[in-house]
Amino acid sequence: MTPDVADSAEATARKAPSHPAFRTLARTGYAANGVVHLLIGAIVLAAGAGGGESDQTGAFRAIAEAPLGFVALWVLAVGLAALALWYAVEGVLTSEEDARKRWAKRVGEWAKAIVYAAIGFSAASVALGAGSSGDQGAQNASSTVLSLPGGPVLLGVGGLVIVVIGGAFVVKGVTRSFREKLRMPGGTTGRIVTVLGVVGYVAKGVALAIVGVLIVTAAVQVDPGEAGGLDRAISSLVALPFGPWLVGAAGLGFIAYGIYCFFRARYARL
């Protein structure tokens, strides 16, 4: 590739995030994520009462059962893919001068890209009639990792990473640092966004941390059956004293996060 072509490609890439269509797609991705979390919250509440798949696949299957549900799933998949692309490009184009900070930001942005791409892929898989439950997928993945040389260590590290991510969500909620990514509205709307963000981030963080602990447990016991997704985490909560109340709070937390995502779609700094 000649220098002129390379410069032209870089210039085009830098202009992409500011293009109105690209920004609209990214905001659609946040809204799509909101729909997913609203459904997860409702399913978590139902799971606490005794049934349902309280994970993303369960949410997508609920959408698929609605009239023209497959159309909605493809809209969600496209929106989430666009949001993943946004974060991928943001990671490439980060302008931090310090190399360590630059790569730290890149890793963070690319990690978000992978997460949203995975959720979008899950939506597309269900739209195509595929997709296993979150628990089954987690157990299959854990079984694969455990079969590798040093598998228990790798799985344990992966579980700890998820615990750390969950903790980061909790910290972001408690410190309200999520507001830095928004053009915060004033007055009552701003207070509503803040409350929804705090409750949503904390609830999601706790759920992720529980999933991470389950994966670490599977690594220590070298038993993929001990691993699981959100379904298993909810079952673990139900078994605790006041478990149904805790599950109810988690479900309401996911719903709060879902509503927050709609505000984020409107007020995100893009």
Side-chain angles (χ1 to χ4, degrees):
M1 181 181 293
T2 65
D4 289 342
V5 173
D7 290 344
S8 178
E10 181 179 355
T12 300
R14 290 190 177 280
K15 290 179 181 178
S18 63
H19 194 285
F22 198 28
R23 290 189 176 191
T24 298
L25 283 173
R27 294 187 190 280
T28 300
Y30 284 126
N33 198 33
V35 172
V36 173
H37 281 83
L38 283 177
L39 286 169
I40 290 176
I43 295 172
V44 165
L45 293 176
E53 289 180 55
S54 50
D55 58 12
Q56 289 162 353
T57 303
F60 291 139
R61 285 177 176 163
I63 295 174
E65 292 173 0
L68 297 178
F70 75 97
V71 176
L73 283 175
W74 282 115
V75 171
L76 290 176
V78 170
L80 290 164
L83 188 54
L85 180 60
W86 168 274
Y87 279 116
V89 173
E90 284 289 287
V92 172
L93 301 181
T94 180
S95 58
E96 292 285 349
E97 294 184 3
D98 182 78
R100 185 163 49 185
K101 291 182 179 179
R102 182 167 62 251
W103 278 103
K105 185 173 181 179
R106 279 178 173 169
V107 170
E109 298 297 280
W110 289 340
K112 294 175 186 176
I114 291 171
V115 169
Y116 285 115
I119 300 174
F121 178 78
S122 179
S125 296
V126 174
L128 292 171
S132 58
S133 70
D135 273 359
Q136 187 60 51
Q139 290 173 8
N140 291 341
S142 297
S143 179
T144 300
V145 174
L146 286 173
S147 68
L148 299 173
V153 174
L154 293 174
L155 187 62
V157 170
L160 289 175
V161 169
I162 294 176
V163 171
V164 170
I165 292 173
F169 266 83
V170 173
V171 170
K172 184 174 287 190
V174 172
T175 62
R176 305 180 182 185
S177 61
F178 58 86
R179 296 185 299 181
E180 298 172 3
K181 300 294 184 180
L182 305 176
R183 298 184 185 278
M184 286 296 294
T188 302
T189 301
R191 289 190 289 273
I192 290 173
V193 172
T194 298
V195 170
L196 289 171
V198 170
V199 174
Y201 271 97
V202 170
K204 184 170 181 178
V206 170
L208 285 172
I210 294 173
V211 171
V213 169
L214 291 173
I215 293 175
V216 171
T217 301
V220 171
Q221 298 183 1
V222 196
D223 181 7
E226 291 296 324
L230 188 55
D231 276 348
R232 186 67 180 273
I234 295 302
S235 297
S236 299
L237 282 178
V238 170
L240 296 174
F242 305 105
W245 291 98
L246 294 173
V247 172
L252 293 175
F254 275 106
I255 290 173
Y257 187 81
I259 298 173
Y260 162 78
C261 285
F262 288 109
F263 283 106
R264 188 177 184 181
R266 170 65 178 82
Y267 296 110
R269 294 180 181 274
L270 298 177

